[in-house]
Amino acid sequence: MAGGAIVNTAGGKDYPGKLTLFVFLTCVVAATGGLIFGYDIGISGGVTSMDPFLKKFFPEVFRKKQEAKTNQYCKYDNQLLQTFTSSLYLAALVSSFFAATVTRVMGRKWSMFGGGLTFLIGAALNGAAQNVAMLIVGRILLGVGVGFANQSVPVYLSEMAPARLRGMLNIGFQLMITIGILAAELINYGTNKIKAGYGWRVSLALAAVPAGIITLGSLFLPDTPNSLLERGHADEARRMLRRIRGTEDIGEEYADLVAASDEARQVRHPWRNILKRRYRAQLTMAIMIPFFQQLTGINVIMFYAPVLFETLGFKGDASLMSSVITGLVNVFATVVSVFTVDRLGRRMLFLQGGAQMFVCQMVVGTLIAIKFGTSGIGDMPKGYAAAVVLFICIYVAGFAWSWGPLGWLVPSEIFPLEIRPAGQSINVSVNMLFTFCIAQAFLTMLCHLKFGLFYFFGGWVVIMTIFIALFLPETKNVPIEEMVLIWKSHWFWKKFIADEDVHVGGNHLQMANNGKGADA
């Protein structure tokens, strides 16, 4: 960062307040919204590798799978099978735009409730599915639930948390996603052993459990002070801020919230407003971070882990067990992020994780190339396969403490209140759009790009790591309502923000050296 000082070394005011038990418990309950997203990511890959499921709904894939000399890269290449996985993300994309309005008008908690309830209905439909149409409709309802939860939960967590612990509490959402993925993989491992062949129904129907947790839990959640002010409940907002900070000394933070709320109330069209020049930095991050998050290639591993491992020569149970191992790594590495993100900062984790993922993708791509070449026909010895799983695990760890949690944390904390629901909606919809594209195209890409698919994603990891190094300032410890200060002091983004656009605590902020310091 260039230029004269605007804020203290932490990046903003250090408001009084500690992590109260009340805040901790509400953040844990809200974060369970991540369970539904994680459970779905983990369950779909396992179910699509189960023979009874394929036999009933995708007989063509089942036949191809039985052929001994099938090209390993292409045996799951089927558009309808990919639509089963990807339809959820298209539904989540569309629903996130409606969720933005619900989140703003009714509050964050009711958006979570609506998401949980819709997901619950989708889980019931999928568990009882008799044909592909029922499966797809169920997936669409699950997608609506995911769209609402992903829209509201990260914003809720960022608004409830004290600034210095915002990273840790917000990453609770990603931690719940990883726990959901692991639970789904363990369930798949168990249901795959059901001899009667209905294990896939149990796997799909059990999505009702995480849906029930967030649906009931959201009823007990309080609204955030930001949301209460936004909807005109000033006294209630002050009481809530006092309660969540555990102190009477909230004057300065409350003044900042009121200033942000007043400014937000003057904005009639947040969707139009977000296109203004002064929000160029936030809009760019809301588009590029979720775009890049999907191009790390992580969902290739998580959606299709059992399919991928089976493609690499692992048999039924072994492929599911391998995906359980990557699920465990995912959870433990996310815990590492919880305890380091507010100490090391967002940039450090992004850059380190990017380097680690790139190395692993190069190694895995090369190992697969040596054994399967371009023909896709070959066998992988046990020791060799173990090396592939090891490097996939190291890759998953790199993602789980960097792009995984930070892809949700950073966009949820950078928007001013007046455009926050619109900004988070763009973040969710871009994420879901590219998740849909990857889910719909991956098996076909694997068939055509073969081992080069890992090099393809590795190239994108290089690009995204350079992007973070150049364009993302450090946001740790900065109060949400003062985030404009770090953009104003950034070497590139400062040119988009005029001095009169910077308002903190209700007053126009005189930048250091009347705005000249940042140009020094």
Side-chain angles (χ1 to χ4, degrees):
M1 274 194 206
I6 294 174
V7 290
N8 64 25
T9 52
K13 296 171 191 167
D14 188 15
Y15 295 131
K18 55 188 183 292
L19 177 58
T20 61
L21 181 63
F22 177 66
V23 167
F24 178 75
L25 292 175
T26 55
C27 285
V28 168
V29 172
T32 59
L35 287 173
I36 61 175
F37 189 29
Y39 188 87
D40 183 79
I41 290 172
I43 216 72
S44 52
V47 164
T48 51
S49 72
M50 291 181 187
D51 287 347
F53 177 80
L54 291 174
K55 205 183 294 184
K56 183 171 177 64
F57 297 107
F58 305 98
E60 188 186 322
V61 179
F62 178 71
R63 278 195 304 274
K64 209 189 293 187
K65 190 178 165 185
Q66 303 310 306
E67 292 169 16
K69 285 294 180 186
T70 300
N71 180 331
Q72 292 293 325
Y73 295 124
C74 296
K75 66 182 181 180
Y76 284 96
D77 181 18
N78 179 279
Q79 282 301 308
L80 191 59
L81 179 62
Q82 291 175 155
T83 303
F84 164 73
T85 299
S86 63
S87 55
L88 179 147
Y89 302 98
L90 200 56
L93 187 164
V94 175
S95 69
S96 66
F97 291 105
F98 296 101
T101 304
V102 174
T103 302
R104 187 178 74 251
V105 175
M106 297 180 67
R108 286 53 166 150
K109 64 178 282 181
W110 292 112
S111 192
M112 291 182 220
F113 176 79
L117 194 60
T118 315
F119 198 92
L120 199 59
I121 298 166
L125 257 183
N126 266 357
Q130 295 301 320
N131 50 50
V132 174
M134 272 185 85
L135 271 184
I136 303 291
V137 170
R139 294 286 293 169
I140 288 169
L141 288 171
L142 295 178
V144 172
V146 166
F148 271 78
N150 288 11
Q151 156 73 28
S152 50
V153 174
V155 169
Y156 184 92
L157 295 172
S158 286
E159 289 179 347
M160 289 296 277
R164 62 193 172 80
L165 295 172
R166 189 173 61 243
M168 181 185 85
L169 292 174
N170 191 289
I171 286 174
F173 177 64
Q174 178 68 18
L175 182 60
M176 290 295 181
I177 292 176
T178 63
I179 290 170
I181 292 170
L182 177 61
E185 285 164 344
L186 288 167
I187 286 164
N188 277 338
Y189 184 70
T191 58
N192 194 45
K193 295 181 181 299
I194 296 175
K195 295 283 187 275
Y198 60 82
W200 62 270
R201 286 196 188 278
V202 178
S203 290
L204 294 177
L206 281 174
V209 175
I213 291 170
I214 185 59
T215 305
L216 289 174
S218 62
L219 294 174
F220 297 95
L221 289 176
D223 267 318
T224 67
N226 314 61
S227 178
L228 289 166
L229 272 171
E230 192 176 26
R231 291 180 289 125
H233 307 298
D235 291 342
E236 212 177 319
R238 184 188 285 274
R239 276 197 304 274
M240 183 54 64
L241 187 62
R242 208 176 278 129
R243 188 175 182 194
I244 66 176
R245 295 294 175 256
T247 176
E248 295 294 316
D249 185 14
I250 56 162
E252 197 172 7
E253 184 174 5
Y254 185 72
D256 281 353
L257 292 180
V258 170
S261 180
D262 290 344
E263 203 163 319
R265 212 166 280 124
Q266 291 164 25
V267 176
R268 292 273 175 257
H269 306 286
W271 289 100
R272 195 185 305 159
N273 228 54
I274 202 169
L275 299 175
K276 288 186 176 175
R277 182 179 172 83
R278 62 179 148 157
Y279 300 128
R280 196 65 46 82
Q282 294 96 323
L283 180 60
T284 301
M285 293 302 159
I287 293 170
M288 296 311 293
I289 287 178
F291 168 71
F292 283 141
Q293 188 192 48
Q294 294 315 308
L295 284 168
T296 57
I298 187 63
N299 279 342
V300 167
I301 305 293
M302 290 306 166
F303 286 158
Y304 296 111
V307 171
L308 183 66
F309 285 123
E310 204 160 302
T311 294
L312 296 178
F314 292 74
K315 297 295 178 280
D317 273 1
S319 68
L320 287 169
M321 197 64 230
S322 300
S323 65
V324 168
I325 292 167
T326 58
L328 278 167
V329 170
N330 199 11
V331 171
F332 286 118
T334 304
V335 172
V336 171
S337 187
V338 167
F339 291 105
T340 56
V341 67
D342 290 314
R343 291 192 182 94
L344 299 179
R346 283 60 158 156
R347 278 171 57 85
M348 170 72 80
L349 291 178
F350 265 132
L351 299 177
Q352 188 282 328
Q356 185 169 321
M357 287 190 292
F358 172 73
V359 170
C360 292
Q361 280 161 322
M362 294 300 101
V363 172
V364 170
T366 305
L367 288 173
I368 294 171
I370 292 167
K371 282 299 168 193
F372 291 121
T374 53
S375 71
I377 296 172
D379 287 309
M380 195 173 277
K382 275 189 179 172
Y384 208 89
V388 171
V389 173
L390 173 66
F391 278 99
I392 285 179
C393 285
I394 297 171
Y395 160 81
V396 167
F399 175 85
W401 60 55
S402 63
W403 279 90
L406 300 179
W408 295 107
L409 166 61
V410 173
S412 76
E413 69 183 358
I414 60 175
F415 287 104
L417 185 63
E418 63 267 22
I419 56 166
R420 193 169 298 152
Q424 182 64 8
S425 185
I426 290 170
N427 175 45
V428 172
S429 57
V430 171
N431 193 301
M432 293 301 127
L433 174 62
F434 286 97
T435 304
F436 166 77
C437 292
I438 295 292
Q440 188 63 30
F442 164 64
L443 294 173
T444 305
M445 288 168 75
L446 181 63
C447 184
H448 291 90
L449 292 177
K450 304 174 174 63
F451 59 83
L453 188 62
F454 290 91
Y455 298 152
F456 170 80
F457 287 122
W460 279 107
V461 169
V462 172
I463 294 167
M464 65 185 73
T465 303
I466 293 169
F467 172 82
I468 291 295
L470 291 177
F471 298 111
L472 182 70
E474 183 53 68
T475 56
K476 73 169 181 176
N477 297 338
V478 183
I480 282 187
E481 310 311 335
E482 294 188 8
M483 203 61 75
V484 64
L485 302 177
I486 63 164
W487 302 111
K488 183 61 179 170
S489 64
H490 186 267
W491 71 273
F492 181 78
W493 299 118
K494 65 185 180 184
K495 67 182 83 165
F496 296 97
I497 306 169
D499 286 0
E500 57 270 22
D501 291 333
V502 182
H503 301 265
V504 176
N507 301 310
H508 166 62
L509 183 80
Q510 290 298 314
M511 308 300 290
N513 303 327
N514 285 328
K516 294 172 188 167
D519 298 319

